[in-house]
Amino acid sequence: MPQMAADGRETRVPFQLIEVDGPSMVPTLNPGDWMLVQHGARVRPGDVVILRHPLQQDLLVVKRAVERRDGGWWVLGDNPYNTGGDSNVYGVVPEELVLARVRGRFRPLSSFRAEREAVGRRQLSPAALVSWSFSAVRPVLADRSLSKRLRAR
């Protein structure tokens, strides 16, 4: 996040790689994936963002910014089976706690291999390696339909 310049001023790198830890954004992001994040990018409804947890500010979390409300952003995880840890628990997230926008994700070969072993496939065939190579690097796109579904309830 912030880095120190030669003259002692705090600076921000525009892009950073961050590893995903936890299932709240499955299937968009899996534990072990790496995210390319952009600091200072404009956040719009549906974007996946990195933010400081409102109740534990030393903890960074990744969530989807569903809609802008008075006082900040309403954020939710993409995993419907992982309840808690989003705005349903801590409410609106102040704008200053939203640090970066996720632009892309990289799924390491080791994560792909572990997923295959979990379903009993131990060896990687050439077809499996081709499959991984086409799915390893993906942009993380905004899901604009989430904010519309939230308003319709």
Side-chain angles (χ1 to χ4, degrees):
M1 308 283 205
Q3 296 186 351
M4 298 304 280
D7 61 0
R9 289 180 300 132
E10 198 175 88
T11 62
R12 284 196 177 266
V13 291
F15 290 95
Q16 183 179 14
L17 287 174
I18 299 176
E19 186 176 8
V20 176
D21 180 33
S24 73
M25 289 300 292
V26 170
T28 307
L29 299 166
N30 291 323
D33 285 355
W34 285 84
M35 301 174 289
L36 176 65
V37 302
Q38 182 182 11
H39 295 277
R42 181 173 170 242
V43 177
R44 299 182 320 188
D47 288 341
V48 177
V49 296
I50 303 294
L51 56 111
R52 290 197 183 280
H53 193 289
L55 305 177
Q56 187 180 347
Q57 295 198 5
D58 60 334
L59 178 65
L60 297 180
V61 294
V62 57
K63 300 292 176 195
R64 191 171 298 275
V66 178
E67 70 178 7
R68 187 182 296 271
R69 293 189 178 178
D70 288 339
W73 285 96
W74 189 262
V75 297
L76 298 173
D78 283 0
N79 187 344
Y81 303 107
N82 187 32
T83 58
D86 56 24
S87 287
N88 291 316
V89 173
Y90 45 73
V92 174
V93 176
E95 184 79 35
E96 61 271 11
L97 296 183
V98 178
L99 304 176
R101 180 175 167 191
V102 178
R103 293 295 190 168
R105 70 116 174 110
F106 171 71
R107 182 159 296 146
L109 183 58
S110 58
S111 296
F112 180 74
R113 185 171 281 156
E115 289 170 10
R116 290 182 56 83
E117 287 179 3
V119 294
R121 296 182 177 151
R122 298 212 180 276
Q123 294 189 351
L124 290 177
S125 67
L129 285 173
V130 169
S131 171
W132 167 79
S133 67
F134 281 109
S135 67
V137 177
R138 291 268 190 237
V140 175
L141 302 174
D143 185 357
R144 306 283 182 232
S145 64
L146 279 176
S147 59
K148 291 177 184 155
R149 280 185 280 177
L150 186 65
R151 282 190 215 112
R153 291 182 188 170

